[in-house]
Amino acid sequence: EAGVAQSPRYKIIEKRQSVAFWCNPISGHATLYWYQQILGQGPKLLIQFQNNGVVDDSQLPKDRFSAERLKGVDSTLKIQPAKLEDSAVYLCASSWGHEETQYFGPGTRLLVL
Amino acid sequence: AQTVTQSQPEMSVQEAETVTLSCTYDTSESDYYLFWYKQPPSRQMILVIRQEAYKQQNATENRFSVNFQKAAKSFSLKISDSQLGDAAMYFCAYRLNNAGNMLTFGGGTRLMVKP
């Protein structure tokens, strides 16, 4: 079974630029999550989708972050404009349902200069 | 709000020895799950073990076992017969049952395994 795929693996941008990350969950997984992991900290949930609907986006900085999950499969997370403090690893995870075990992708490491 | 605390930023263990990683959490709820995740340098987070709060019996997965003390709100991970491949960041996480699937993570413990 293929795992959660994410791209790109690394991204370096300058502040005020825009960036987008892509996630392809495990086939059949209805629930998809985006986490932000700042260096030296545990992951923090940004947004959770159930199929193509948002379940929880209470910790998403909506003035600059946006996410979508068209057709309930792949998802993109966008930052516009980026700030220095957005430097982090962005992890995508998926699960069969919202009560099931989450499986994580390898993450995208973002460096904002 | 729930919080998860891992008080050991780094731990080291000799290969084949046993090590225990500590985790405490704060919650006023009684129905929840606890998890230990492993994050090797490749960054892929892997579930190691999970514990349902309503179960008194401690979860075990091969060389990994937990010591779940509900009253003390403590959830430690014991790794027996440590192997070089166990070297990684270990994160303790909490999830309230029946409230979506939001995981709250601790700050992590870096485990080093010495040959």
Side-chain angles (χ1 to χ4, degrees):
Chain A
E1 178 181 79
V4 177
Q6 289 187 247
S7 67
R9 292 296 309 275
Y10 304 92
K11 190 73 177 179
I12 301 174
I13 62 173
E14 295 188 350
K15 60 182 180 182
R16 291 189 289 273
Q17 285 187 324
S18 301
V19 65
F21 313 128
W22 173 83
C23 172
N24 179 238
I26 293 172
S27 178
H29 280 195
T31 312
L32 185 147
Y33 317 79
W34 283 102
Y35 289 85
Q36 181 192 58
Q37 186 178 19
I38 293 173
L39 186 64
Q41 300 180 18
K44 182 186 78 173
L45 180 71
L46 292 175
I47 189 167
Q48 175 184 340
F49 292 94
Q50 181 74 17
N51 296 308
N52 60 352
V54 175
V55 174
D56 185 348
D57 64 356
S58 57
Q59 298 192 86
L60 186 74
K62 298 180 185 64
D63 57 334
R64 298 183 299 107
F65 285 65
S66 64
E68 61 181 8
R69 191 183 183 198
L70 300 176
K71 301 180 182 178
V73 181
D74 294 3
S75 177
T76 56
L77 176 69
K78 296 179 182 178
I79 307 175
Q80 180 180 10
K83 292 185 175 181
L84 297 177
E85 59 261 36
D86 298 332
S87 294
V89 175
Y90 291 84
L91 297 168
C92 180
S94 69
S95 62
W96 284 107
H98 67 275
E99 295 293 333
E100 301 300 320
T101 297
Q102 297 181 30
Y103 295 87
F104 286 80
T108 296
R109 183 185 295 272
L110 173 67
L111 179 60
V112 182
L113 302 175
Chain B
Q2 290 79 25
T3 58
V4 179
T5 303
Q6 294 178 247
S7 59
Q8 307 153 316
E10 280 191 2
M11 290 284 285
S12 66
V13 63
Q14 204 72 33
E15 195 175 6
E17 297 292 307
T18 296
V19 64
T20 299
L21 308 184
S22 300
C23 173
T24 58
Y25 57 95
D26 185 23
T27 184
S28 58
E29 305 291 338
S30 60
D31 189 9
Y32 52 87
Y33 290 84
L34 295 163
F35 305 83
W36 277 100
Y37 277 89
K38 170 185 177 181
Q39 190 176 42
S42 67
R43 289 284 171 184
Q44 192 116 18
M45 193 91 71
I46 304 166
L47 178 65
V48 174
I49 199 166
R50 76 181 228 171
Q51 173 82 40
E52 291 89 340
Y54 65 86
K55 289 187 177 179
Q56 292 186 341
Q57 186 172 5
N58 289 324
T60 299
E61 288 288 343
N62 301 314
R63 297 183 296 107
F64 298 88
S65 61
V66 298
N67 183 5
F68 173 47
Q69 302 289 327
K70 191 171 184 178
K73 297 179 183 176
S74 170
F75 183 62
S76 60
L77 174 69
K78 185 172 82 171
I79 306 174
S80 304
D81 185 25
S82 298
Q83 300 175 1
L84 295 177
D86 294 334
M89 286 290 293
Y90 285 81
F91 290 96
C92 178
Y94 164 100
R95 193 196 87 203
L96 184 64
N97 200 15
N98 297 324
N101 202 1
M102 178 179 169
L103 285 170
T104 301
F105 286 88
T109 296
R110 180 177 303 280
L111 177 66
M112 294 174 286
V113 182
K114 300 176 182 178

